[in-house]
Amino acid sequence: MPVEMSRERFEELVGEALDEVPPELLKLMSNVVILVEDDTPAGEPELLGLYEGHALTSRGWDYAGVLPDRILIYRNPILRICETEADVVDEVAITVVHEIAHHFGIDDERLHDLGWG
């Protein structure tokens, strides 16, 4: 049975996951926002998070005047796959790290190799 959790509590867990990211990495993040969405885009029901933007490794001299990159963490899909609040805490942390890694240019294959898939 999926875990029931308010949006506010879920957002707190995302904040707590961000608090666990080393400060030196957070300082390197540039022009990116982290948002919680209840549901995924149509046709992507199993997506837990999404990075939209230009990874730091692909930004060149002409990178200017663009909207911030977005890291989206999807609440309902995460709650559906978890059985306990502790599972949600773990899955949120994994998803946040996974999407931040995309901001740094790390692809899914490498993340899976590192155990963050």
Side-chain angles (χ1 to χ4, degrees):
M1 172 168 270
V3 175
E4 290 188 27
M5 180 180 292
S6 70
R7 184 179 175 99
E8 292 78 20
R9 175 65 180 136
F10 190 87
E11 289 174 349
E12 287 174 10
L13 294 180
V14 171
E16 290 170 11
L18 287 169
D19 289 342
E20 296 299 317
V21 175
E24 50 275 5
L25 286 181
L26 289 176
K27 288 179 189 174
L28 295 173
M29 293 177 66
S30 174
N31 200 32
V32 62
V33 297
I34 299 171
L35 305 168
V36 171
E37 295 285 337
D38 285 333
D39 294 302
T40 62
E44 300 281 352
E46 298 192 17
L47 197 61
L48 304 180
L50 181 66
Y51 173 74
E52 296 178 331
H54 304 278
L56 293 175
T57 55
S58 68
R59 295 178 184 180
W61 64 269
D62 58 344
Y63 179 83
V66 299
L67 293 173
D69 294 359
R70 299 182 341 149
I71 291 175
L72 302 165
I73 308 298
Y74 296 111
R75 185 173 73 93
N76 289 331
I78 290 175
L79 295 179
R80 274 194 299 272
I81 67 166
C82 295
E83 295 181 8
T84 66
E85 184 165 326
D87 293 341
V88 176
V89 170
D90 292 342
E91 193 58 54
V92 165
I94 290 166
T95 303
V96 166
V97 168
H98 183 103
E99 301 309 328
I100 287 173
H102 288 317
H103 180 66
F104 286 100
I106 301 171
D107 65 17
D108 281 329
E109 182 178 339
R110 182 67 179 135
L111 283 168
H112 284 277
D113 292 345
L114 296 170
W116 292 97

